Amino acid sequence: SLRKMVQEQTKHVAICGGGLVGALNACYMAQRGYRVDVYEMRQDIRTQEIVRGRSINLALSCRGREALKGVGLEETIVKNGIPMHARMIHDRDGKRRPILYGTRDQYIMSVDRRLLNEVLLTEAEKYENVKLHFNHKLLTCNFDTGEMLFQNEKGDQVKASVDLVVGTDGAFSAVRKQMMKLSRFDYQQTYIPHGYMELNIPPSADNEFAMEANYLHIWPRNEFMMIALPNLDRSFTTTLFMPFDIFSSITDERQLMDFFTDKFPDSIPLLGQEALKKSFLSSKPLPMVTVKCEPYHVKDKAVIMGDAAHALVPFYGQGMNCGFEDCIVLNDILDQCGDDFAKALPEYTRIRNVDAKAISDLAMYNYVEMRSSVNSKLFLIRKKLDNLLYKLFPKTWVPLYTMVSFTRIRYHECISRREWQDKVLTHTLRTAAVLGGVSLLVSAHALYRHQGALEMPGWLQAGISLVEGWVRG
Ligand code: FAD
């Protein structure tokens, strides 16, 4: 009966969605001693040969790694990832030039999505208080009673009743859909005009990487771009991001080859002409959506996390990292609130919402940086200046990309710190320009005086009286 009593007091949580964030969160909640049931719509990916879905590999950075560390998985994942120290820019004439992400010892990692999800599911299953239910699609849930309704693979309906519903069911979340029926729930969804298509650069004939391995390769072409991330099997998953109307204007082999010859000539031998034709013309570009909403919780009964709460465009490589960090943030808040959901969930919304909105805006901004700004001289000068100041003042001047990818500084603070840096730079440049102008005038004035006979030109006289007036008044 003691066991029964303990069981009755144990909090019972249902995690809807056994993707990346759901599987990680199951580990965190299991560590807290909750009884955890994970319901995943798909089959168990560990038993399938081919898994269809989104991007094959992902960039893992500091926030994601910290979250994996919390459940003892950082080492395993890092061991199976490939470090990327810099962007490798491919110019149209085939020239390649690296742009470091941070200092030489800072890097992001290319990891395999499927492997990551499998490792996380296997880890979750190790806890005896976690149970995984595959082929269970959430249909509805009741935020007053905690009752949930699923459909299994046979089409039968399955019921469950829990203390807390956690929605980690992705960008088209069913839990969120249910929340949208409640009053005062804000929701905003935007599709960008660009789609993406995945292509593949296989290993070279001698089974080596066909390009430098430890880079995130980018072909920035202003309006669109292609990127490539390395895989363990020495191939590169290559993703073309482009407006849908350009995708649809390419309908046959000739148009395709003309387009690639003009825009990405050095990639053709890497992708292989025949393979490129085959995969491009038989695939459809996929859309990208961004979702912002608020609040993330309903009373003490439900909370949404990961893409369900904040789908981002993928250009900062932060979607999963942010979703993983969600797990740490909620876990810390549950610690502070002594597992009282009524206190913890509103606090989670309060803390996390500003940060998720901030990274959502940054991700949108980075799309322009990746496809276009990296081509600009001014951008490269700013990057160099940022890195120099970072070396001189490592605590106060942390470049934006470094804050986002290599620290856990809150996302909204990354934005405010960057705004402060911009202000300091603008102010310094303005002051330098004024001082430069003044010393020019003073020198010119002295020169004319020295020559004596010459009449001073009007602009110099006007300039001198301006400076005099400024000094006096
Ligand atoms: P998902 O991974 O979508 O998982 C949701 C799970 O819920 C799925 O398993 C689904 O089957 C299940 N589900 C859905 N509906 C139901 C239901 N009704 N009932 C039960 N289960 C359900 N992020 C990075 O950090 N770095 C990157 O480099 C990066 N690159 C990206 C590139 C592209 C092209 C894209 C599209 C995204 C990229 N992301 C990246 C973002 C990243 O993929 C997502 O942020 C991450 O997958 C979110 O994880 P999640 O668990 O919240 O959602």
Side-chain angles (χ1 to χ4, degrees):
S1 69
L2 182 68
R3 194 167 178 187
K4 200 167 166 227
M5 214 170 78
V6 169
Q7 245 181 16
E8 272 166 11
Q9 281 183 359
T10 305
K11 296 200 188 288
H12 186 188
V13 176
I15 295 184
C16 296
L20 298 175
V21 177
L24 176 66
N25 206 30
C27 300
Y28 270 94
M29 296 209 144
Q31 286 185 348
R32 307 196 65 78
Y34 302 164
R35 196 177 130 208
V36 181
D37 282 280
V38 180
Y39 296 94
E40 167 55 48
M41 177 172 85
R42 294 176 299 176
Q43 287 176 29
D44 187 345
I45 51 166
R46 295 168 298 179
T47 60
Q48 280 174 280
E49 252 182 50
I50 298 171
V51 177
R52 281 198 297 156
R54 275 176 315 167
S55 69
I56 292 163
N57 53 22
L58 299 145
L60 173 71
S61 47
C62 168
R63 295 167 205 266
R65 286 180 65 158
E66 284 295 312
L68 290 169
K69 196 192 276 174
V71 298
L73 285 180
E74 189 192 14
E75 278 297 297
T76 317
I77 298 304
V78 165
K79 219 171 48 202
N80 286 296
I82 301 175
M84 298 181 290
H85 295 270
R87 295 164 169 160
M88 180 65 89
I89 308 295
H90 293 239
D91 289 329
R92 251 172 92 174
D93 59 8
K95 267 202 206 106
R96 300 177 193 183
R97 52 190 168 95
I99 304 179
L100 271 183
Y101 276 124
T103 53
R104 271 174 212 288
D105 55 344
Q106 288 171 326
Y107 55 86
I108 56 177
M109 295 223 94
S110 173
V111 295
D112 184 289
R113 177 192 289 272
R114 178 173 176 171
L115 182 82
L116 185 55
N117 207 163
E118 289 184 353
V119 168
L120 284 166
L121 288 171
T122 301
E123 185 65 21
E125 228 169 21
K126 286 185 190 157
Y127 296 89
E128 57 175 21
N129 45 338
V130 173
K131 202 159 176 230
L132 307 181
H133 311 260
F134 294 98
N135 299 303
H136 276 65
K137 178 181 177 177
L138 178 77
L139 300 177
T140 58
C141 49
N142 183 326
F143 298 129
D144 291 321
T145 60
E147 281 165 349
M148 316 174 73
L149 191 63
F150 299 93
Q151 187 176 47
N152 68 14
E153 75 265 44
K154 292 186 211 124
D156 295 339
Q157 298 202 338
V158 180
K159 282 187 182 158
S161 179
V162 292
D163 299 312
L164 177 67
V165 178
V166 180
T168 47
D169 47 350
F172 303 99
S173 166
V175 178
R176 190 186 65 224
K177 233 172 254 158
Q178 199 84 16
M179 286 180 162
M180 284 166 72
K181 295 184 187 147
L182 303 174
S183 115
R184 301 193 56 211
F185 184 82
D186 286 335
Y187 176 74
Q188 188 193 340
Q189 159 188 313
T190 314
Y191 280 95
I192 57 171
H194 297 70
Y196 72 95
M197 184 186 279
E198 285 189 339
L199 305 165
N200 180 52
I201 294 182
S204 63
D206 51 355
N207 203 24
E208 283 303 324
F209 283 104
M211 305 183 288
E212 301 85 344
N214 296 109
Y215 294 88
L216 193 155
H217 292 262
I218 311 182
W219 290 256
R221 298 295 178 261
N222 300 324
E223 203 191 345
F224 46 85
M225 69 172 175
M226 192 159 75
I227 67 170
L229 273 73
N231 296 313
L232 277 183
D233 67 1
R234 302 200 173 99
S235 67
F236 285 87
T237 300
T238 310
T239 314
L240 177 58
F241 295 94
M242 197 157 75
F244 276 101
D245 47 13
I246 304 190
F247 270 117
S248 55
S249 71
I250 302 172
T251 53
D252 61 30
E253 292 189 354
R254 215 179 122 195
Q255 285 168 344
L256 176 66
M257 291 325 295
D258 285 349
F259 177 75
F260 264 75
T261 308
D262 184 35
K263 307 292 183 199
F264 311 112
D266 67 324
S267 76
I268 300 174
L270 300 167
L271 290 159
Q273 228 184 94
E274 290 316 307
L276 168 62
K277 286 178 192 163
K278 201 166 152 220
S279 34
F280 190 102
L281 296 169
S282 66
S283 324
K284 278 209 172 82
L286 299 169
M288 281 166 287
V289 71
T290 133
V291 169
K292 286 181 182 172
C293 64
E294 186 178 8
Y296 290 153
H297 74 285
V298 184
K299 297 177 288 186
D300 61 346
K301 270 285 175 297
V303 64
I304 46 175
M305 301 168 76
D307 277 17
H310 45 67
L312 316 175
V313 291
F315 307 112
Y316 228 115
Q318 283 293 311
M320 164 194 65
N321 286 289
C322 176
F324 278 4
E325 194 180 44
D326 288 351
C327 301
I328 313 184
V329 172
L330 180 61
N331 193 55
D332 289 349
I333 293 174
L334 286 166
D335 275 347
Q336 290 153 19
C337 298
D339 295 285
D340 180 348
F341 295 154
K343 280 194 194 139
L345 303 189
E347 182 63 1
Y348 176 75
T349 291
R350 190 182 72 77
I351 297 277
R352 203 53 180 156
N353 199 258
V354 276
D355 288 323
K357 283 184 175 154
I359 188 57
S360 180
D361 295 341
L362 282 171
M364 205 61 106
Y365 156 81
N366 217 47
Y367 187 27
V368 183
E369 172 164 324
M370 273 179 100
R371 66 185 151 99
S372 169
S373 311
V374 289
N375 288 329
S376 124
K377 286 239 159 50
L378 209 60
F379 169 83
L380 297 174
I381 293 171
R382 170 67 195 259
K383 188 108 194 151
K384 286 217 166 100
L385 187 62
D386 267 342
N387 286 342
L388 177 73
L389 291 166
Y390 182 34
K391 254 191 206 143
L392 295 174
F393 314 103
K395 287 225 170 70
T396 42
W397 200 282
V398 188
L400 180 62
Y401 190 90
T402 306
M403 286 191 275
V404 171
S405 302
F406 303 125
T407 78
R408 280 201 57 217
I409 296 174
R410 290 183 60 185
Y411 288 123
H412 83 275
E413 211 185 311
C414 298
I415 294 188
S416 51
R417 283 208 195 182
R418 166 66 180 223
E419 283 168 353
W420 172 80
Q421 292 170 357
D422 287 347
K423 256 194 216 146
V424 170
L425 278 188
T426 316
H427 189 74
T428 313
L429 285 177
R430 226 182 257 152
T431 313
V434 168
L435 289 180
V438 169
S439 61
L440 200 75
L441 282 175
V442 172
S443 322
H445 188 236
L447 271 176
Y448 273 102
R449 276 239 171 120
H450 186 69
Q451 296 206 359
L454 282 176
E455 174 101 345
M456 240 185 268
W459 64 266
L460 186 54
Q461 264 167 3
I464 292 294
S465 25
L466 199 75
V467 173
E468 275 173 359
W470 184 53
V471 170
R472 277 199 208 105

